[in-house]
Amino acid sequence: MRMSSSEISTVKTIAQINDESRNFVLVAVVIAKSDPRFFSGQPKGRAPFEADGVDSTGAQHQTARGVLTFTLRDSHRDTINCTVWGKADTIVHYDGAFAIGDVVDVNRPQVSSAAFGRSEQYSPTVSSLYCLTINEQQVQGAQLVPHEATGQERQRLQSLLHVPLVQPGETIPLADIAASGAGCNGETFNLLVVVRAVRAKREVRVARSNQVKSFREVILMDRSHAGVLLKLWSDSYIRWSDRWVPLQTSLLIVDARVEFSEYYKTICLAVDRKTIITPDPAVPQVASLLNHAKTFPTQDIDVVCSLSSGSVDPATINAVMTVQQILDRTEGEQQHQEDHFTALCYAVLTRLDLDGSSRIVSERCARCRTLVPRDVNGTCTKFDCPASTAPDAHRESFFDITVDLTDHTGTLTGCRMVSRVAETVLGCDVGTFLRQTDAQRTVLKWKFLLDRCAVRLIVKKRSAVRFQNLFSIVGCTVADPAEVEAKLKVY
């Protein structure tokens, strides 16, 4: 039977709860929630959560039971865990009825010391010295119900979702975690990050249990690192992440677990039962973090343009590698931990389609630098760009050429030569190239095609954030045969 708050004489806050607290109601907002766990049979060494059923023959049978934990907050400093025990259908009801961000009434919970609560070691760290238990089989009227009141009190409680549980000074940069490699596997850290991308939810079969579970990957970034993968296995967090907007939502994550991914061969993050996520935390550092995210290159073409913008002097790239050595260093037996590396490759250009149908010139918005598809006329495609509503918005054209490199060990496909690097190699700018006839472009192509060239590359390796390797050409000249003979490697 559902009980309203008015039927309970005492309303307490988390700070007022102690060993003597009985028959009270707590009004709070849900800031974290575990996935339900189910089991069968009478648990040993613990009072029964419900009576075993008796069938028509008089024989007892075991009933499925479950447990679910909510982390609650009612002020800037006070948090507490509330564990619900009950029949499987009761736990399923609570799981579907309450989500992170809901304001709830906790009616007639049992109070116990958190120091002796077995579930506390698997629950988020909270400020209260006590923990709450809801078990309708032990206390009549013990239940969790939606808070019915509206107005300022509800708004005050929901605003606590954005109040940080830790200060920004207690967080660690993503670069420090990434640099540690497998050395910090299993440890937990606090993070202040921006959501870079939210990937689609997938259904995967877990080998250990053979169950099908929902799974989502979210890419996080900060000022120190371009992207680290966050894995979400909890249905609660997967549903909540539907609200996160890439490059606009910031997160303060308490106790994110670090784990080494054998699939991606890199460090990833995971949300477990002890993790609490504060969306868009009210801290001053968020503004500069979001500004950094808006200017950071996230599309592949932006990354390639950034690599070829002069951040690495081509004259310093002197490590000679064959195509096979480059491939081995990115994905083969010689794979290293670094995110990118440079190489000088003496190879023949086997693809340089200057006079064909391949993409040679791309366009981007002059205001926000977003790549504009060739089939879109006039406006920028980015919804928050001022140029998205201007029919005469200015576009910038730039070289975006795909090149294949071949030597005696193999072929490196899909290398990119863009912007000023391409202008330097071809000896003309985009405007001049677009005015050339097909015959002139063919003559330009054959200055390099099937010739042995000294190609200087920056290789950005594929990762959990980016599914493919990026080969950015930052220098290309026709090679002197004597130089090739002296430096070309057999392997």
Side-chain angles (χ1 to χ4, degrees), residues 346 451-454 477-488:
Y346 292 98
D451 253 340
R452 178 82 66 175
C453 295
T477 57
V478 176
D480 182 357
E483 178 186 358
V484 174
E485 183 179 359
K487 295 185 177 181
L488 187 62

Side-chain angles (χ1 to χ4, degrees), residues 97-143:
F98 301 104
I100 298 172
D102 289 347
V103 179
V104 298
D105 291 351
V106 186
N107 292 338
R108 306 192 69 181
Q110 295 172 283
V111 179
S112 58
S113 172
F116 302 104
R118 292 179 61 186
S119 63
E120 286 298 292
Q121 60 182 315
Y122 305 110
S123 302
T125 302
V126 292
S127 64
S128 177
L129 299 177
Y130 303 94
C131 57
L132 307 179
T133 302
I134 293 290
N135 189 337
E136 294 181 1
Q137 297 299 319
Q138 292 186 353
V139 179
Q140 184 179 6
Q143 58 185 339

Side-chain angles (χ1 to χ4, degrees), residues 193-196 243-251 279-281 290:
V193 294
V194 171
V195 174
R196 172 173 164 175
R243 308 178 187 177
W244 299 348
V245 181
L247 304 182
Q248 296 183 37
T249 299
S250 58
L251 304 174
D280 299 321
L290 290 174

Side-chain angles (χ1 to χ4, degrees), residues 15-33:
Q16 294 171 332
I17 294 174
N18 55 50
D19 290 321
E20 305 300 322
S21 299
R22 301 287 187 277
N23 192 33
F24 67 94
V25 60
L26 169 69
V27 182
V29 62
V30 179
I31 62 171
K33 173 187 167 187

Side-chain angles (χ1 to χ4, degrees), residues 152-180:
Q152 293 184 349
E153 178 63 10
R154 175 180 289 274
Q155 293 177 0
R156 183 191 71 81
L157 289 169
Q158 289 183 326
S159 70
L160 296 175
L161 285 171
H162 306 292
V163 176
L165 289 165
V166 299
Q167 293 304 308
E170 300 174 69
T171 63
I172 186 172
L174 289 177
D176 290 358
I177 297 176
S180 67

